[in-house]
């Protein structure tokens, strides 16, 4: 009698374990990790009273690529033949690090709300590894896209660019490419908000939003088509008699 009672209890515990594992696997781990990382860096800056210094040292300067004479003068980027390597390295670091820096609570809250809003869907749609790759590539492309316009058209290439909005716009691009209309709504909201900010003298790089979104859409479509062609390759080989 005791053994008969223990058997269903064991199975019940086993079922609970399977359910818990399934829920864990369904969590958008990459999205959660990116949100936590952005929050930690933001909090670290204020706790150590180094927030302003972090922005200055790790924000991206468009002129450091597209108008080097101005950037070297105003930001003391090393000049001369011996410093070329260091300058290039600094620019690469800033392209990456600027994606994790935010100026205030409103800035980071707005960006991370967008990431939480659509990130889970995008990550599940294409997988975590592709999701992370598109996140960073979109962020870099967004900074460069903004940099070209800022340096050559708006003459504002010495203004530091910070924030995850370009990379997050790339995540919106993933969702849009996979057919989720909510991504377009959020992008429109971002652009409208950015336009209002520019009119009211709040510096918002809406060009980075657009650049990141375009990068996300293009990269997603490329990766999806590549994955589809890989899946069809065995079928083609069978049809061809290989």
């Amino acid at each position: 009698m005791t053994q008969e009672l223990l058997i269903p209890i064991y199975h019940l515990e086993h079922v609970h374990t399977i359910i818990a594992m399934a829920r864990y696997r369904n969590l958008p781990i990459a999205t959660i990790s990116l949100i936590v990382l952005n929050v930690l860096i933001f909090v670290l800056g204020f706790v150590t009273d180094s927030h302003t210094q972090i922005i200055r040292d790790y924000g991206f300067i468009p002129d450091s690529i597209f108008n080097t004479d101005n950037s070297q003068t105003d930001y003391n980027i090393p000049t001369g033949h011996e410093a070329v390597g260091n300058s290039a390295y600094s620019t690469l670091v800033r392209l990456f690090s600027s994606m994790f820096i935010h100026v205030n609570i409103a800035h980071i809250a707005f960006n991370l709300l967008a990431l939480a809003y659509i990130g889970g869907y995008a990550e599940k749609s294409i997988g975590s590894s592709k999701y992370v790759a598109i996140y960073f590539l979109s962020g870099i492309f967004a900074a460069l896209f903004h940099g070209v316009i800022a340096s050559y058209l708006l003459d504002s290439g010495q203004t530091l660019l910070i924030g995850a909005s370009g990379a997050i716009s790339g995540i919106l691009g993933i969702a849009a490419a996979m057919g989720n209309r909510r991504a377009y709504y959020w992008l429109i909201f971002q652009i409208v908000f950015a336009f209002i900010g520019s009119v009211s003298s709040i510096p918002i790089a809406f060009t980075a939003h657009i650049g990141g979104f375009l990068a996300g859409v293009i990269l997603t479509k490329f990766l999806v088509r590549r994955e589809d062609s890989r899946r069809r390759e065995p079928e083609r080989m069978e049809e061809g008699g290989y």
Side-chain angles (χ1 to χ4, degrees):
M1 184 66 180
T2 303
Q3 289 181 345
E4 292 177 357
L5 289 173
L6 287 175
I7 291 174
I9 291 175
Y10 167 78
H11 283 298
L12 184 60
E13 291 177 350
H14 189 58
V15 169
H16 283 310
T17 301
I18 293 175
I19 293 174
M21 292 177 63
R23 288 178 178 174
Y24 177 77
R25 290 176 181 175
N26 288 330
L27 286 174
I29 301 300
T31 300
I32 294 173
S33 299
L34 287 170
I35 291 174
V36 171
L37 183 58
N38 275 279
V39 171
L40 287 176
I41 292 173
F42 182 76
V43 171
L44 178 65
F46 280 97
V47 170
T48 60
D49 197 25
S50 60
H51 183 66
T52 302
Q53 190 64 36
I54 289 174
I55 291 176
R56 181 177 178 84
D57 291 347
Y58 295 100
F60 174 61
I61 310 164
D63 276 356
S64 66
I65 293 179
F66 304 108
N67 193 353
T68 54
D69 291 337
N70 286 339
S71 65
Q72 289 168 353
T73 301
D74 289 357
Y75 287 95
N76 297 319
I77 293 177
T79 58
H81 178 72
E82 296 179 357
V84 172
N86 292 332
S87 178
Y89 176 76
S90 174
T91 299
L92 289 174
V93 169
R94 286 173 179 267
L95 271 172
F96 180 82
S97 61
S98 61
M99 287 185 263
F100 295 95
I101 306 172
H102 295 85
V103 66
N104 53 37
I105 294 177
H107 187 199
I108 191 172
F110 182 81
N111 279 340
L112 297 188
L113 178 62
L115 184 57
Y117 173 73
I118 206 72
Y121 169 84
E123 184 176 348
K124 292 177 183 178
S125 297
I126 62 171
S128 298
S129 58
K130 294 184 181 69
Y131 173 90
V132 172
I134 292 176
Y135 181 92
F136 288 118
L137 290 174
S138 295
I140 292 172
F141 180 81
L144 295 175
F145 185 81
H146 164 78
V148 169
I149 296 174
S151 292
Y152 295 132
L153 298 180
L154 303 179
D155 194 26
S156 60
Q158 295 182 49
T159 301
L160 287 166
L161 175 69
I162 59 173
S165 56
I168 293 171
S169 294
I171 300 305
L172 294 174
I174 295 175
M178 299 304 291
N180 191 316
R181 293 183 180 180
R182 292 184 301 163
Y184 292 102
Y185 300 150
W186 190 267
L187 178 67
I188 293 172
F189 176 71
Q190 280 187 320
I191 294 175
V192 170
F193 182 77
F195 177 76
I196 294 174
S198 63
V199 173
S200 59
S201 300
I202 300 175
I204 300 176
F206 69 93
T207 51
H209 295 195
I210 296 173
F213 184 81
L214 292 175
V217 171
I218 294 170
L219 288 170
T220 301
K221 288 186 176 294
F222 170 76
L223 291 174
V224 169
R225 289 179 181 176
R226 185 180 180 186
E227 189 68 25
D228 288 342
S229 63
R230 282 183 177 180
R231 292 177 180 176
R232 292 174 183 173
E233 190 63 30
E235 297 178 1
R236 293 175 183 173
M237 294 178 65
E238 290 179 2
E239 291 175 359
Y242 293 103

